Amino acid sequence: MTTASLPGSPSPAGASSPVGRTLADPDTPFAVVDVRRVRRNVVRLRARAERLGVALRPHVKTAKSLDAAALLHDGSPGPVTVSTLAEAEAFAAAGHRDITYAVGIEPHKLARVIDLSRRGVTVRVLLDSTEQATFVAAAAREARVALPALIEIDCDGHRGGLEPDAPGLPGIARILHDAGCLDGVLTHAGESYFCGTAEARRTAARAERDAAVAAAERLRAAGLPVRTVSVGSTPTAHAADDLTGVTELRAGNYVFFDLVMAGLGVCGLDDLALSVVVTVIGHRPEHGWILTDGGWMAMSRDRGTAAQPQDQGYGLVTDLDGTLIPDVVMTAASQEHGTLSARNGAALPDLAIGTRLRILPNHACATAAQHHGYHVVDGTRGPAASAPVITAYWPRVTGW
Amino acid sequence: MTTASLPGSPSPAGASSPVGRTLADPDTPFAVVDVRRVRRNVVRLRARAERLGVALRPHVKTAKSLDAAALLHDGSPGPVTVSTLAEAEAFAAAGHRDITYAVGIEPHKLARVIDLSRRGVTVRVLLDSTEQATFVAAAAREARVALPALIEIDCDGHRGGLEPDAPGLPGIARILHDAGCLDGVLTHAGESYFCGTAEARRTAARAERDAAVAAAERLRAAGLPVRTVSVGSTPTAHAADDLTGVTELRAGNYVFFDLVMAGLGVCGLDDLALSVVVTVIGHRPEHGWILTDGGWMAMSRDRGTAAQPQDQGYGLVTDLDGTLIPDVVMTAASQEHGTLSARNGAALPDLAIGTRLRILPNHACATAAQHHGYHVVDGTRGPAASAPVITAYWPRVTGW
């Protein structure tokens, strides 16, 4: 594990390094990552990708951490997907040379892409229109740099992209090809986040593969060379049984997982690597509430499990060691207050003011985004077994 | 207006100062504040407080900006309310000497409060239990510092606090008084965020006042001196018609306002000072969608208007000048994608890729929290009237 130095500003609470202290030490709320779970999650998907015979291009948008990324490819800077140019620049500065920026490109952002390209970094851009292909091709010609582009394919009506049989697809590919910009096709089965059975996710994975491969074959049949055929989402990446024709698999959330993924059955609760340490600050027994200092500022406003059969509120509750406290849920949030309630007829535990707990989030990407970095634990205990020891601090890449 | 220097890290997109450029220049998404509206919102509530004969103690948790705070009290560092000790420390470092930390105190955070106290800063803490009063009193005695405390009073069952007639109230006040810690009482009408009529908010303001004043009078009758009687929320602060017995009024959101407040009728859409600049990155005409690069990472996951008669999705849409585009709503968000749709039978406007728009947020506190600072506009236009000029950059205080 890389032990990153603390970011200059902003630093975690207390302003001095938390490394070597325990989860009982920094002022709350703060984010914690269990690196043992990250390693297990990473190994699991890497093994799947190897079995399926595809390259893995993890999406770093969830952790946004160079330290977490160092675990993805056994320490070497392998291929990654990013959601912002700030991520692309930070990962490039750390030695990553093979980056896919998986958000539709617009003209203003090309200057930073070209700048990375001139520094020897491959940044694939994403597009789904003649308009975009035209300005990318023109920019590549004018700047005399490689601007490899992926055409976004829509497999499930979730967001952007062209359907594989869209009339405009070959024309877009031709514009890119003529400028030396055609790299391939990319699809993302965003609707798989609502597939509550393994069979539904397997079906979504097949549809994702079929859409990408059909688009690639259509272009190849038109004499347009397609190198990259990229698919992926955390649910489909863990369900795919045959990726014939696909060259690479993407997934991001799996590094941490979360209650949404556990609710779908993509992972178990024991796989959740991210949590937020909070402190009990009050009691309202007449309402059945325990109040904490972890509100939506610490957890995000994400209520991703609200649409699932088991609504988990703003998160489930564990003790400071990470052991689940059954039937206690974070049911409400204001900016710096969390409300814990019991369900299923359980009694609310008797927790003194000052007691520290951990909240498992609905949506790791959103909760992580509320923090500047992660206090990393690996199972090491303090001298008096007081609390898990913080063995590293991983700063996050922020901004755009 | 204070023109703050850019924060060292993280800096806004592009890493160099945006001041003097226009809203067409920085890569999107980024947050914008119209300082003319901030000034108007600040003047409006200050005039109300003066009419009502109470001091104003703005809550800085929304903007978390020293530059915004400089407008609150005509440039001098007046009394403020904070939601984190990070805010308390940042405001103390900037010369603020009169701070109320309005989240229930727990023992671990006292060290930082005591440290501020030793530097000559008054930091009032909040509590509602014998347990908290006991450790605050003990800490004040041990550290030999003033630790003024406010007892939280519950006026509407919203969150924490003791009801004004709670049996335990005088005992808590006595513990504080004996240690020189009793400052007063504080209440917050959190349920007023759901009061959709002026009359309902006026009633909530009276209930807030009545609860605080009744608690104060009860303590005074028991021989316990109460100095501060603090009430407030943005909806009640703008509705209160008589604050007899109250010494200070708190509100935070009003500096920026947002769609939730406009939906209640507390402000008009023209009062919203915060927005997020986004860029069109795609079209799905078959679904009735325009896609932008502003997702929940830029807007937050807050869906505060979902519970209002008019659900505004993730926000309303304006052009780059801030003029509302009628009947276009941000209806969906993923991490770095926003989806705009038309409603009420309106046609979706024809917006080329690269077009910049501004999104007015549901909840200013939550949207602001997704950004490191604000690009400030004041109506100044560029030389070719291309777009509003960025006249300042206001960094935010972040973390805990």
Side-chain angles (χ1 to χ4, degrees), chain A residues 247-265:
Chain A
T247 65
E248 70 174 28
L249 185 61
R250 304 181 327 280
N253 179 282
Y254 77 102
V255 172
F256 288 163
F257 281 129
D258 53 28
L259 291 174
V260 166
M261 288 298 140
L264 294 179

Side-chain angles (χ1 to χ4, degrees), chain B residues 78-137:
Chain B
V80 293
T81 315
V82 301
S83 69
T84 66
L85 291 179
E87 289 167 46
E89 289 160 348
F91 277 76
H96 288 263
R97 288 288 172 270
D98 182 0
I99 297 172
T100 293
Y101 171 45
V103 177
I105 193 70
E106 49 94 10
H108 199 276
K109 296 199 184 85
L110 280 176
R112 289 162 73 192
V113 175
I114 290 168
D115 184 57
L116 285 167
S117 177
R118 289 197 167 128
R119 288 152 54 193
V121 182
T122 298
V123 181
R124 279 173 208 78
V125 298
L126 187 66
L127 55 83
D128 65 0
S129 67
T130 303
E131 197 177 348
Q132 289 164 305
T134 303
F135 67 67
V136 167

Side-chain angles (χ1 to χ4, degrees), chain A residues 3-18:
Chain A
T3 301
S5 62
L6 290 174
S9 167
S11 58
S16 59
S17 172

Side-chain angles (χ1 to χ4, degrees), chain A residues 383-397:
Chain A
S386 59
V389 170
I390 299 162
T391 55
Y393 181 81
W394 294 352
R396 273 174 61 86
V397 177

Side-chain angles (χ1 to χ4, degrees), chain A residues 319-332:
Chain A
D319 65 17
L320 200 51
D321 282 316
T323 303
L324 202 68
I325 303 178
D327 292 321
V328 178
V329 186
M330 180 172 160
T331 43

Side-chain angles (χ1 to χ4, degrees), chain A residues 9-10 13 24-29 61 64 83-84 102-109 112 129 131-132 135 154 157-161 163 279-281 283-284 287 289 291 293 296-298 301-302 334-337 352-354 356 363 365-366 369-372 396 398-400, chain B residues 9-10 13 24-29 61 64 83-84 102-109 112 129 131-132 135 154 157-161 163 279-281 283-284 287 289 291 293 296-298 301-302 334-337 352-354 356 363 365-366 369-372 396 398-400:
Chain A
S9 167
D25 291 321
D27 277 328
T28 54
K61 78 184 181 84
K64 294 202 186 210
S83 68
T84 65
V103 176
I105 192 69
E106 49 94 10
H108 199 274
K109 297 198 184 86
R112 289 162 72 193
S129 67
E131 196 177 348
Q132 288 164 305
F135 68 66
D154 175 17
H158 177 71
R159 203 164 58 197
E163 291 175 20
T279 300
V280 173
I281 60 166
H283 303 90
R284 295 302 302 268
H287 295 300
W289 297 341
L291 300 176
D293 65 357
W296 57 252
M297 188 66 83
R301 270 289 194 201
D302 199 284
S334 45
Q335 186 159 340
E336 300 292 351
H337 294 79
I353 285 171
R356 293 188 170 210
H363 187 179
C365 310
Q370 304 297 107
H371 298 269
H372 291 302
R396 273 174 61 86
T398 59
W400 289 271
Chain B
S9 167
D25 290 323
D27 276 328
T28 54
K61 79 185 181 85
K64 294 203 186 209
S83 69
T84 66
V103 177
I105 193 70
E106 49 94 10
H108 199 276
K109 296 199 184 85
R112 289 162 73 192
S129 67
E131 197 177 348
Q132 289 164 305
F135 67 67
D154 175 17
H158 178 71
R159 203 164 58 197
E163 290 174 21
T279 300
V280 173
I281 61 166
H283 302 90
R284 295 302 301 269
H287 296 300
W289 297 341
L291 300 176
D293 64 357
W296 57 251
M297 186 67 81
R301 269 290 193 202
D302 199 284
S334 47
Q335 185 160 340
E336 300 291 351
H337 294 79
I353 286 172
R356 293 188 170 210
H363 187 180
C365 310
Q370 304 296 107
H371 298 269
H372 291 302
R396 272 174 62 86
T398 59
W400 289 271

